[in-house]
Amino acid sequence: MLASTTASTTTIAPDDWDALPAAQQPDWRSHASFDRVRRKLSAVAPLVTPAEVLEVRAGLAAVAAGDAVLLQAGDCAESFYETTPEHIAAKIAALDALAARLGSRAGRPVLKVGRVAGQYGKPRSHSHEVVDGVELPAFRGHLVNSEAPSAEARRHDPRRMLWAYHFSDALMRELRARRAADPATGPVHFGPWSSHDALVLDYEGPQVRVDGATGRRFLGSTHFPWIGERTGGVDGAHVRLLSLVLNPVACKIGPRSTPESVLALADRLDPAREPGRLAFIVRMGWAEVAGALPPIARAVAAAGLPAVWLSDPLHGNTVRLPSGRKTRFLDQVVREAETVRDVLAREGLRLGGLHLETAASPVTECVGGPITTEDELAADYRTLCDPRLNPDQALELVDALF
Ligand code: PEP
Ligand code: CO
């Protein structure tokens, strides 16, 4: 635990976000362990410190100013089974290698952020799926249930929140050790930092704390939470929760976003318009982005918002093959990211970096680069959720963009 921070932080009672509409939440409040788990999560030490959170904001402000670029990358869904020291080292090494390439292409320092140390909850488009003729609740990430195809395994189990906390703690300690071993050259440490989709409110809410030194609230579960495409309603619980905390926040911007919805999000999440507080992650799909992004970019530019712009060129480009497998085609992924970069430039804005789903090993989940046909996907396809770029494919994307 972070003994140095526990003394000065206190848990706050659930706030009004609890009463607001929240999509994509587990159905587990009647589980015998639910109340005990919530109490326990309210008492655990925060996994990040306010000082760390402020460093990430400073790094993001450097990205907003064009003095640095951001790489946010890692698994779609982290696995409870990939938390050994070897797994952790491999995840960090993969992030480092991709960041090194991005830094040398962009000629700027890279703010390194893993989808790591808490990326355990998944939003799903369908609440159920049919496996071998049996309808089962969808897998929602190891925070909520198991991927195993049985009714028992798919039951939502709140005790998973405590396991997620402990695995995240182990990963967080390793990230902290890496930062200590590679000290910052200036006032800003460029990472590796943690991030995840702040999706499951029963997990995130109890981890909102008050910093004793400043009286400000911060989210103790991660440095840099993001709000997903399906939970970004401006009047919803997720936006309300993250509007209250000190952490930098990112929002996915999908094909149904409008100039009005994006400006409203910025008003809620960054009313003071502070560089380093807010990032937009564009994830529209290669076919939609050229039409949907320009009016949004124009409105944000006209309003003078200092938000960082990132491209997630994966989530709008997921394709289901006749085999039932999900994949993504690297040429479409590259095309979306290039379009985002060029649209932003035309509006006087700047692509600040990439948000990617990447694997640390040469998996065969997306088509492109070394994987030339769909037939090759079976060789090493093992994502828990969405198909990830392998290291060669991710390098190819970075090279195409910077
Ligand atoms: C994700 O980042 O894994 C995800 C589910 O993204 P989105 O909310 O953009 O669909
Ligand atoms: Co995903």
Side-chain angles (χ1 to χ4, degrees), residues 325-386:
R325 231 179 224 126
K326 287 198 285 186
T327 195
R328 290 154 171 166
F329 292 91
L330 186 59
D331 51 356
Q332 298 180 349
V333 167
V334 169
R335 184 125 136 224
E336 171 162 352
E338 286 175 337
T339 306
V340 171
R341 179 195 62 194
D342 298 345
V343 166
L344 292 174
R346 274 200 296 279
E347 301 303 333
L349 301 168
R350 191 187 297 109
L351 180 64
L354 293 169
H355 177 116
L356 304 177
E357 289 185 339
T358 52
S361 64
V363 298
T364 58
E365 297 170 3
C366 296
V367 179
I371 301 168
T372 52
T373 67
E374 295 160 27
D375 300 337
E376 293 162 55
L377 296 179
D380 191 12
Y381 190 103
R382 53 198 163 92
T383 182
L384 274 179
C385 192
D386 289 336

Side-chain angles (χ1 to χ4, degrees), residues 75-77 115 119 122-123 197 226-230 252 283 312 315 355 357 386:
D75 293 316
C76 177
R115 288 176 56 114
Q119 178 48 21
K122 296 310 302 174
D197 184 346
W226 80 83
I227 301 176
E229 150 78 353
R230 296 162 190 80
K252 297 287 192 99
R283 44 83 81 219
D312 162 3
H315 282 93
H355 177 116
E357 289 185 339
D386 289 336

Side-chain angles (χ1 to χ4, degrees), residues 17-18 25-26 28-29 34 37-38 41-42 44-45 47 78 80 117-121 143-144 158-169 172 196-209 219-222 241:
W17 71 76
D18 240 19
Q25 299 307 293
W28 58 20
R29 291 197 168 190
F34 179 76
V37 168
R38 278 281 296 231
L41 274 180
S42 302
V44 294
L47 295 171
E78 283 185 278
F80 282 179
Q119 178 48 21
Y120 292 116
L143 186 59
V144 177
R159 293 172 298 180
R160 287 177 165 271
M161 291 194 281
L162 293 179
W163 304 333
Y165 170 83
H166 288 294
F167 288 132
S168 298
D169 186 33
M172 233 28 122
H196 67 249
D197 184 346
L199 177 75
V200 175
L201 296 170
D202 288 328
Y203 183 72
E204 307 298 340
Q207 295 191 72
V208 174
R209 303 303 165 87
L219 181 63
S221 66
T222 190
L241 176 80

Side-chain angles (χ1 to χ4, degrees), residues 63-381:
V63 175
D67 297 331
V69 288
L70 188 148
L71 175 67
Q72 187 171 21
D75 293 316
C76 177
E78 283 185 278
S79 167
F80 282 179
Y81 306 120
E82 296 183 353
T83 52
T84 65
E86 292 73 26
H87 286 115
I88 298 173
K91 286 187 196 204
I92 295 174
L95 185 65
D96 279 343
L98 194 55
R101 181 74 144 252
L102 176 58
S104 73
R105 302 283 306 189
R108 282 171 277 167
V110 180
L111 184 64
K112 287 184 282 190
V113 182
R115 288 176 56 114
V116 75
Q119 178 48 21
Y120 292 116
K122 296 310 302 174
R124 301 313 301 260
S125 304
H126 303 286
S127 63
H128 287 74
E129 65 175 342
V130 176
V131 183
D132 295 333
V134 181
E135 182 169 83
L136 295 172
F139 171 56
R140 290 187 175 271
H142 280 168
L143 186 59
V144 177
N145 59 6
S146 159
E147 75 280 15
S150 75
E152 181 52 30
R154 294 288 173 92
R155 190 165 172 235
H156 299 179
D157 186 340
R159 293 172 298 180
R160 287 177 165 271
M161 291 194 281
L162 293 179
W163 304 333
Y165 170 83
H166 288 294
F167 288 132
S168 298
D169 186 33
L171 281 142
M172 233 28 122
R173 285 161 188 271
E174 197 52 39
L175 298 179
R176 195 169 288 118
R178 294 306 170 105
R179 292 194 300 272
D182 181 15
T185 46
V188 178
H189 208 299
F190 282 86
W193 303 105
S194 63
S195 73
H196 67 249
D197 184 346
L199 177 75
V200 175
L201 296 170
D202 288 328
Y203 183 72
E204 307 298 340
Q207 295 191 72
V208 174
R209 303 303 165 87
V210 177
D211 173 20
T214 62
R216 291 216 46 185
R217 297 185 222 203
F218 69 102
L219 181 63
S221 66
T222 190
H223 296 108
F224 184 19
W226 80 83
I227 301 176
E229 150 78 353
R230 296 162 190 80
T231 48
V234 72
D235 293 318
H238 294 83
V239 170
R240 176 72 187 151
L241 176 80
L242 292 179
S243 74
L244 298 172
V245 297
L246 182 66
N247 310 54
V249 176
C251 285
K252 297 287 192 99
I253 302 295
R256 290 182 307 280
S257 296
T258 62
E260 295 70 35
S261 71
V262 172
L263 293 178
L265 269 178
D267 279 347
R268 297 288 166 92
L269 292 168
D270 183 25
R273 302 191 176 184
E274 295 170 87
R277 158 67 175 166
L278 179 62
F280 294 129
I281 307 173
V282 180
R283 44 83 81 219
M284 294 183 162
W286 71 272
E288 312 247 19
V289 69
L293 184 57
I296 293 174
R298 204 164 301 140
V300 170
L305 300 183
V308 165
W309 291 88
L310 304 175
S311 166
D312 162 3
L314 295 166
H315 282 93
N317 296 308
T318 313
V319 184
R320 198 174 282 279
L321 298 170
S323 64
R325 231 179 224 126
K326 287 198 285 186
T327 195
R328 290 154 171 166
F329 292 91
L330 186 59
D331 51 356
Q332 298 180 349
V333 167
V334 169
R335 184 125 136 224
E336 171 162 352
E338 286 175 337
T339 306
V340 171
R341 179 195 62 194
D342 298 345
V343 166
L344 292 174
R346 274 200 296 279
E347 301 303 333
L349 301 168
R350 191 187 297 109
L351 180 64
L354 293 169
H355 177 116
L356 304 177
E357 289 185 339
T358 52
S361 64
V363 298
T364 58
E365 297 170 3
C366 296
V367 179
I371 301 168
T372 52
T373 67
E374 295 160 27
D375 300 337
E376 293 162 55
L377 296 179
D380 191 12
Y381 190 103

